[in-house]
């Protein structure tokens, strides 16, 4: 880990009681120094069209296969008749020294579209991660050619045609055939021609809420192999025209080894689709207790993620909601039911007035307990005129996990990190190969933020999977680790957060343990691979049926110095 040469710092950390925060951990804004120059274009020109409020998403992916996460930023575009500037997707290649280079045009991704979200996965099992970009209108599938470039494969893959308001997406092998399928959330039926007049003050136009528009069913694309997909939405039991989906998470909530699907809906009940092992799903949201709030109200669900945050052995759910609704932290009780713990916790109290979008569990301090990050920002710039306690730009939330209980530590993470933003998408990855997790946050009609995780002395082990009989990315595989008398597990998953994709490599904080006593991988194929006495301080690559095929120790990179930036976009 970083700064281990600072002996006094190590001694201080060693004296900490279990569950106590490590000193000096913070997130430094290195966006400008890293070479990330991006401003989101939502096309706004005064009409207050609904899609302008929602984007953009972002992703970490290793598009060139060099083991270092690269960055993809999704962009919108100007509305017809109001063209000002060209705006495209942005791909930044990791230079291995804390900086990035814009390779968008070289990679063939300088594509104009009203993009919303992104999901990353190797859909044809050729060893190169492909990109799906959801959009208002025609979403796109970009096939990784393996030579640093991408080719638009939307038509050839059979995905061309639907003209929808698509949001979050996730790759998932729902039928365990070894090929990644694709689930896409759709929002509402909207077009410039059907745009409605809504107002906060009775006079001026404001952005409409989704109640004003009809919903749209999510789509499930079944991978047929040979790079082709079929629409399996109705056949699989996911057709739901009342849905107004914004977030998608993949989890195995009943622990039967088959991936289930959670969809966060805006002003409609959240959905939880139970995998029936035969290519179909059964919707269980109401029965499981995740459809509504505690008082039976369908909230404005935005982002969603799943993790075993309390070491119960079961994945629980977090869903971000609108201002005055608080986060939902649905604890998995293990009997098919979830209970929302947020109203009785600091998570609920701290998030009551904020509007959350991107969210995820990740272990920022590497103590072995997944913490929770939430990107916040309102949709209406004039909201303070009608709600005095609610603001447009909002500080994020970072909740530190104290053995199953959460405490907000946002203010301790640095002024740039805690500054108010109109945030939307969010993702995490280890950008500098030092073992801990860095953050990428997008803002609506503003710049992106890249935050480097600094400080900390805990040990860590990172695990990358390569499937053989299972899909190449190992999506859906569960990795279980025992270290220092503690046990934890994670599932490799696409999607989660909001419109965004975090890296697929798993990061396990080991606290003071210098090795993992055991590492066990449960593959979607049913195979189990087990390894013993695996040293911390490295990224291991585990191949199905072969075990560890590569290991790479963490590096000390030459870091770009953080540069001061404005607090708001």
């Amino acid at each position: 880990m970083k700064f281990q040469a600072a002996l006094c710092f190590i001694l201080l950390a060693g004296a900490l009681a279990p569950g106590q925060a490590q000193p000096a951990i913070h997130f430094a804004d290195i966006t400008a120094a890293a070479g990330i120059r991006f401003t989101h274009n939502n096309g706004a020109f005064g009409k207050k069209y609904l899609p302008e409020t929602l984007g953009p998403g972002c992703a970490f992916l290793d598009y060139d296969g060099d083991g270092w996460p690269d960055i993809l930023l999704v962009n919108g575009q100007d509305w017809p008749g109001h063209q000002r500037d060209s705006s495209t997707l942005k791909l930044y290649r990791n230079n291995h020294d804390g900086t990035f280079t814009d390779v968008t045009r070289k990679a063939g991704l300088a594509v104009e579209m009203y993009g919303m979200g992104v999901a990353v996965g190797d859909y044809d099992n050729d060893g190169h991660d492909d990109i799906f970009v959801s959009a208002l209108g025609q979403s796109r599938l970009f096939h990784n050619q393996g030579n640093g470039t991408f080719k638009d494969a939307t038509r050839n893959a059979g995905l061309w045609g639907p003209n929808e308001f698509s949001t979050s997406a996730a790759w998932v092998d729902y039928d365990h055939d070894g090929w990644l399928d694709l689930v896409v959330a759709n929002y509402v039926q909207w077009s410039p021609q059907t745009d409605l007049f809504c107002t906060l003050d009775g006079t001026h136009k404001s952005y409409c809420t989704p109640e004003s528009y009809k919903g749209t069913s999510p789509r499930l694309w079944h991978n047929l192999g040979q790079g082709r997909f079929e629409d399996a939405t109705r056949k699989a039991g996911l057709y739901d025209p009342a849905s107004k989906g914004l977030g998608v998470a993949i989890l195995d909530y009943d622990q039967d080894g088959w991936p289930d699907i959670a969809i966060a809906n805006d002003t409609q009940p959240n959905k939880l689709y139970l995998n029936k092992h035969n290519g179909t799903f059964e919707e269980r949201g109401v029965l499981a207790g995740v459809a509504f709030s505690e008082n039976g109200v369908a909230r404005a669900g935005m982002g969603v993620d799943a993790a075993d945050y309390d070491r119960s052995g079961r994945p629980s759910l977090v869903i971000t909601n609108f201002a005055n609704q608080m986060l939902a932290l649905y604890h998995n009780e293990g009997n098919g039911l979830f209970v929302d713990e947020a109203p009785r916790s600091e998570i609920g109290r701290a998030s009551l007035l904020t509007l959350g979008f991107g969210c995820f569990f990740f272990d920022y301090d590497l103590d072995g307990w997944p913490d929770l990050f939430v990107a916040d920002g309102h949709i209406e710039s004039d909201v303070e005129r009608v709600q005095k306690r609610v603001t447009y730009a909002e500080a994020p939330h970072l909740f530190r996990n104290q053995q199953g209980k959460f405490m907000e530590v946002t203010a301790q993470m640095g002024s740039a990190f805690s500054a108010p933003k109109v945030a939307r998408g969010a993702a995490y990855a280890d950008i500098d190969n030092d073992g801990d997790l860095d953050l990428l946050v997008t803002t609506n009609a503003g710049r992106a933020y890249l935050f480097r995780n600094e400080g900390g002395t805990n040990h860590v082990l990172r695990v990358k999977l390569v499937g053989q009989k299972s899909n190449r990315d190992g999506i859906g595989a569960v990795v279980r680790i025992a270290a220092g008398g503690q046990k934890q597990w994670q599932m490799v998953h696409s999607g989660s957060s909001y419109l965004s994709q975090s890296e697929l490599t798993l990061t396990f904080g080991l606290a003071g343990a210098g090795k993992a006593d055991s590492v066990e991988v449960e593959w979607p194929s049913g195979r189990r691979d087990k390894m013993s006495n695996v040293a911390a301080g490295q990224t291991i690559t585990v191949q199905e049926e072969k075990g560890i095929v590569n290991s790479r120790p963490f590096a000390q990179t030459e870091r770009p110095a953080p540069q001061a930036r404005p607090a708001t976009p």
Side-chain angles (χ1 to χ4, degrees):
M1 284 302 301
K2 304 174 182 148
F3 312 132
Q4 288 185 344
L7 180 59
C8 62
F9 188 85
I10 294 175
L11 291 174
L12 271 173
L16 294 173
Q20 185 176 345
Q22 299 177 75
I25 297 178
H26 67 284
F27 287 91
D29 180 1
I30 64 165
T31 316
I36 306 298
R37 296 173 178 85
F38 172 84
T39 301
H40 173 239
N41 177 21
N42 66 2
F45 65 100
K47 287 288 190 178
K48 295 213 167 185
Y49 287 159
L50 180 62
E52 296 167 2
T53 65
L54 293 177
C58 59
F60 284 111
L61 73 160
D62 183 8
Y63 85 98
D64 53 0
D66 63 357
W68 295 74
D70 311 298
I71 289 173
L72 181 75
L73 296 167
V74 179
N75 214 342
Q77 63 179 163
D78 292 328
W79 297 105
H82 297 274
Q83 282 82 1
R84 295 164 296 185
D85 300 308
S86 174
S87 54
T88 73
L89 301 170
K90 286 290 185 180
L91 179 65
Y92 290 90
R93 183 182 183 275
N94 193 322
N95 296 325
H96 307 183
D97 60 0
T99 68
F100 293 77
T101 298
D102 184 343
V103 294
T104 310
R105 291 197 175 278
K106 182 179 179 181
L109 291 177
V111 178
E112 291 191 59
M113 57 191 299
Y114 204 103
M116 298 297 297
V118 55
V120 177
D122 182 3
Y123 74 86
D124 57 351
N125 288 334
D126 65 354
H128 309 293
D129 278 335
D130 310 299
I131 300 170
F132 176 80
V133 179
S134 63
L136 174 68
Q138 178 64 60
S139 299
R140 302 292 185 91
L141 178 64
F142 297 100
H143 180 253
N144 191 329
Q145 302 294 287
N147 59 1
T149 68
F150 291 84
K151 181 179 180 180
D152 190 333
T154 314
R155 288 185 184 275
N156 289 339
L159 301 181
W160 191 269
N163 191 315
E164 294 169 323
F165 191 165
S166 298
T167 54
S168 295
W171 295 99
V172 54
D173 181 6
Y174 74 90
D175 54 357
H176 283 183
D177 65 355
W179 299 97
L180 288 178
D181 313 296
L182 181 66
V183 58
V184 183
N186 287 310
Y187 195 36
V188 297
Q189 298 179 36
W190 179 93
S191 70
Q193 293 73 33
T194 60
D195 185 68
L196 300 174
F197 181 88
C198 299
T199 180
L200 289 173
D201 59 11
T203 302
H204 302 93
K205 190 177 191 297
S206 64
Y207 289 110
C208 293
T209 61
E211 289 104 331
S212 305
Y213 299 96
K214 294 181 179 180
T216 310
S217 176
R219 281 190 187 269
L220 179 64
W221 295 100
H222 176 234
N223 193 331
L224 300 171
Q226 289 79 50
R228 295 283 299 175
F229 293 81
E230 66 173 351
D231 186 348
T233 309
R234 292 179 183 269
K235 181 170 62 177
L238 262 67
Y239 182 71
D240 176 22
S243 271
K244 299 178 181 180
L246 287 176
V248 177
I250 307 301
L251 73 161
D252 180 8
Y253 86 90
D254 59 350
Q255 300 289 273
D256 64 354
W258 291 75
D260 310 307
I261 301 170
I263 296 181
N265 273 324
D266 190 356
T267 70
Q268 288 291 311
N270 299 317
K271 302 294 182 178
L272 183 61
Y273 293 97
L274 175 69
N275 195 320
K276 302 296 288 182
H277 310 181
N278 60 0
T280 69
F281 292 83
E282 179 184 339
E283 207 287 299
R284 293 280 189 89
V286 174
L287 292 176
V290 302
F292 304 104
S293 66
E294 248 192 354
N295 55 359
V297 174
R299 288 179 280 190
M302 310 290 185
V304 57
D305 193 22
D308 179 10
Y309 72 84
D310 62 345
R311 294 188 180 173
S312 65
R314 303 178 295 270
S316 296
L317 280 168
V318 62
I319 297 178
T320 56
N321 294 304
F322 211 78
N324 299 305
Q325 293 183 341
M326 77 174 56
L327 290 177
L329 182 63
Y330 292 112
H331 180 261
N332 191 331
E333 300 292 299
N335 55 3
L337 298 176
F338 292 77
V339 174
D340 189 357
E341 297 289 345
R344 292 168 292 280
S345 72
E346 184 164 339
I347 279 182
R349 293 188 293 271
S351 64
L352 180 59
L353 296 178
T354 53
L355 198 168
F357 281 92
C359 64
F360 46 73
F361 293 101
F362 78 132
D363 188 1
Y364 83 91
D365 55 359
L366 303 176
D367 64 354
W369 294 84
D371 311 297
L372 176 60
F373 173 79
V374 181
D376 295 317
H378 212 277
I379 64 168
E380 183 56 68
S381 60
D382 296 330
V383 66
E384 294 169 62
R385 293 196 295 116
V386 293
Q387 297 187 50
K388 301 301 182 184
R389 300 174 63 198
V390 177
T391 61
Y392 181 46
E394 300 173 337
H397 293 298
L398 180 61
F399 296 101
R400 183 170 187 267
N401 189 337
Q402 297 181 301
Q403 300 185 18
K405 303 295 182 181
F406 291 94
M407 176 181 71
E408 183 160 26
V409 295
T410 307
Q412 303 171 26
M413 295 298 116
S415 58
F417 176 84
S418 60
K421 304 170 185 66
V422 187
R424 295 294 185 261
Y428 61 82
D430 178 11
I431 64 166
D432 46 5
N433 187 32
D434 66 352
D436 56 21
L437 293 171
D438 312 294
L439 299 181
L440 180 64
V441 179
T442 63
T443 63
N444 185 40
R447 72 181 185 92
Y449 291 80
L450 182 61
F451 292 106
R452 187 178 65 219
N453 188 332
E454 297 192 342
T457 61
N458 279 334
H459 294 288
V460 58
L461 176 66
R462 285 167 47 82
V463 181
K464 174 181 171 58
L465 299 186
V466 178
Q468 295 298 303
K469 184 178 180 181
S470 303
N471 67 86
R472 186 65 61 91
D473 285 323
I475 288 175
V478 172
V479 179
R480 302 184 186 276
I481 284 186
Q486 305 292 319
K487 294 182 179 180
Q488 54 181 304
W489 66 274
Q490 296 180 45
M491 185 177 77
V492 181
H493 63 280
S494 170
S496 282
S497 189
Y498 170 78
L499 306 180
S500 299
Q501 169 83 57
S502 295
E503 66 175 349
L504 295 176
T505 299
L506 301 180
T507 297
F508 290 91
L510 304 184
K515 68 172 183 177
D517 300 311
S518 67
V519 177
E520 184 172 6
V521 182
E522 301 169 4
W523 298 91
S525 67
R527 180 180 173 83
R528 292 176 182 244
D529 291 320
K530 189 170 184 179
M531 296 130 281
S532 302
N533 297 319
V534 181
Q538 61 176 336
T539 300
I540 59 172
T541 299
V542 179
Q543 184 172 317
E544 189 174 14
E545 300 181 354
K546 292 185 178 180
I548 298 175
V549 295
N550 185 46
S551 60
R552 185 180 66 172
F554 299 143
Q556 292 294 331
T557 61
E558 293 294 325
R559 302 178 178 281
Q563 296 184 11
R565 295 299 299 262
T568 56

